[in-house]
Amino acid sequence: SNVEQCALPPAAMAVPVLMFAGGVIGNITAIAALSGSNQGRKSSAFFALVCGLAVTDLLGTCLASPITIATYLDRNVLDDRNLCEFHSFLLLFFGVAGLSIIFAMSGERYLAICCPYTYQRCGIDKYFARKCLFCIYFSNIVFCCLPVMGMSESTCQPSQTWCFINWRANELLPAAYSFLYASVSFLLILMTIILNFAVCGTLLIMRRRKVQNPVTRGSTRARWTALSSDVEAQMMTVLMVTSVVVLGCSAPLVVRRNSQADLAAIRIAAVNAILDPWIYILLRRTLFRKVRKFSKRVYSSRKSKTPCSQSDHHQGLAATKGTLQAAMHSQAGSSPSSSSLTNWTKCAAPHDFNVFHRC
């Protein structure tokens, strides 16, 4: 039939089907893991943004991937103009929405660590984060609907498996929109990197001050500092790893070269929705604490196995010499002679104190 002639070999469908299954299963598992977190963590703005990113990845996978899989069954699916524009909108929207949420997460951590008074005064909590997510969704929907309104044109790409805006359009409006979309994506990536570096630098400065001005182990301030540093370390680890994955997967799509490179770029961007949920699953706070405790235990065991210093060795020899003198004095009833003391000292002088017992 005509459909069978246009269909690709079954082996070619394995990649999109596996990516679709991996994205759905991973994001559902991540959302379930996030839902099982404690109530205190759920009230934080960072947690709300992480959940928003997981839901965004799940929606993007469920909406865009079935259309891609359908193109492998029938290469003429995207000949429908409305479906092609819808697929292009999905790729545009979920690409820039993921970058926007990552930028919001970086901004939230920057305000919480670098500007804590502003953070408290603005009342940034989960409700504020939900409003932020709503603004991100609304603004990006309007921005990505501009091609449908006539500002740009969505075309089926040479592989016939996905639609996107025409980057090489010569008309003024389509070229302007392509430049605008690339500029917004680039600025989101750049600002996210800058904020992450600023937060990491501030944490390093705080760590250095903590080492220079230690507090007593049992004080309330010490316990609160340890707890807050543990929470901040876990949040920053999640943020940094997620940022690297999202930025690394999204950047190739911003730099367009040829049809083959574009196809590889859109596939790399699709991998983002598969990797993100496993970051939340593997870097949960309970697992993060276990890994941190294990690393501290390994470090302390290595430190305890280090050989004693030279000063400790000399102190041990002096103590041994004093013990020998006392023993000789009690045995002879008088001060020991120099010759006997020399013989005893020579026996105890070797670096291996076990030699003393053999003597």
Side-chain angles (χ1 to χ4, degrees):
S1 63
N2 194 25
V3 173
E4 290 177 351
Q5 291 176 358
C6 295
L8 291 176
M13 289 185 56
V15 174
V17 170
L18 290 176
M19 292 178 66
F20 173 69
V24 171
I25 295 173
N27 281 288
I28 290 177
T29 306
I31 293 172
L34 292 170
S35 300
S37 303
N38 58 56
Q39 197 64 30
R41 188 185 180 192
K42 289 181 180 179
S43 62
S44 67
F46 186 82
F47 177 85
L49 292 173
V50 170
C51 291
L53 184 59
V55 173
T56 302
D57 288 338
L58 179 61
L59 288 176
T61 303
C62 292
L63 292 176
S65 294
I67 300 176
T68 302
I69 294 173
T71 62
Y72 282 81
L73 297 174
D74 183 2
R75 299 293 295 273
N76 299 320
V77 167
L78 294 179
D79 288 345
D80 185 346
R81 185 67 185 168
N82 295 328
L83 184 61
C84 183
E85 289 183 349
F86 178 67
H87 195 235
S88 176
F89 165 78
L90 291 176
L91 297 181
L92 287 170
F93 171 75
F94 287 106
V96 74
L99 291 176
S100 301
I101 296 175
I102 283 291
F103 171 69
M105 292 167 61
S106 300
E108 190 272 343
R109 284 295 85 200
Y110 176 80
L111 290 176
I113 295 174
C114 302
C115 308
Y117 296 107
T118 304
Y119 188 87
Q120 292 293 331
R121 188 170 63 251
C122 293
I124 299 178
D125 54 7
K126 65 177 182 180
Y127 301 106
F128 184 91
R130 289 173 183 174
K131 295 176 182 178
C132 182
L133 287 172
F134 175 79
C135 293
I136 288 174
Y137 268 76
F138 181 77
S139 59
N140 286 330
I141 286 174
V142 173
F143 178 56
C144 296
C145 278
L146 293 179
V148 182
M149 299 176 184
M151 189 171 181
S152 184
E153 181 184 4
S154 298
T155 59
C156 186
Q157 301 302 309
S159 64
Q160 300 292 319
T161 56
W162 60 298
C163 285
F164 210 68
I165 57 175
N166 185 10
W167 290 92
R168 299 172 182 85
N170 296 323
E171 294 82 2
L172 179 60
L173 281 180
Y177 183 81
S178 299
F179 177 77
L180 181 61
Y181 185 85
S183 300
V184 170
S185 301
F186 176 76
L187 286 176
L188 289 172
I189 293 173
L190 180 63
M191 292 303 298
T192 300
I193 294 174
I194 292 174
L195 289 176
N196 286 345
F197 272 110
V199 172
C200 290
T202 303
L203 288 176
L204 290 176
I205 294 174
M206 292 169 61
R207 177 69 178 175
R208 184 175 301 176
R209 289 177 181 174
K210 180 182 175 182
V211 173
Q212 293 175 352
N213 303 306
V215 293
T216 58
R217 188 176 182 83
S219 65
T220 304
R221 180 188 170 191
R223 291 194 296 269
W224 173 254
T225 303
L227 178 62
S228 60
S229 62
D230 190 36
V231 172
E232 289 169 357
Q234 190 261 352
M235 286 184 175
M236 280 308 302
T237 304
V238 172
L239 175 60
M240 293 300 294
V241 177
T242 307
S243 298
V244 170
V245 171
V246 174
L247 300 184
C249 293
S250 302
L253 194 58
V254 178
V255 183
R256 308 293 299 274
R257 294 183 295 274
N258 53 60
S259 59
Q260 291 297 325
D262 293 347
L263 180 60
I266 199 65
R267 287 176 175 173
I268 293 173
V271 171
N272 172 48
I274 302 174
L275 297 180
D276 277 350
W278 294 106
I279 298 173
Y280 319 139
I281 295 170
L282 297 178
L283 294 181
R284 286 178 299 169
R285 189 165 301 173
T286 53
L287 183 60
F288 183 80
R289 286 176 179 174
K290 290 179 181 179
V291 173
R292 197 172 184 182
K293 287 180 181 178
F294 177 76
S295 61
K296 287 182 178 180
R297 192 180 303 119
V298 172
Y299 176 75
S300 60
S301 63
R302 287 183 179 180
K303 192 174 182 180
S304 62
K305 290 180 181 179
T306 54
C308 59
S309 62
Q310 193 70 16
S311 60
D312 295 337
H313 175 69
H314 289 304
Q315 291 177 1
L317 286 178
T320 304
K321 185 175 179 180
T323 304
L324 292 175
Q325 288 179 347
M328 291 171 57
H329 180 74
S330 60
Q331 196 174 42
S334 59
S335 60
S337 61
S338 60
S339 60
S340 61
L341 179 60
T342 302
N343 293 334
W344 280 78
T345 306
K346 286 180 179 179
C347 184
H351 292 287
D352 186 4
F353 285 113
N354 293 325
V355 177
F356 169 72
H357 297 289
R358 293 198 294 270
C359 293

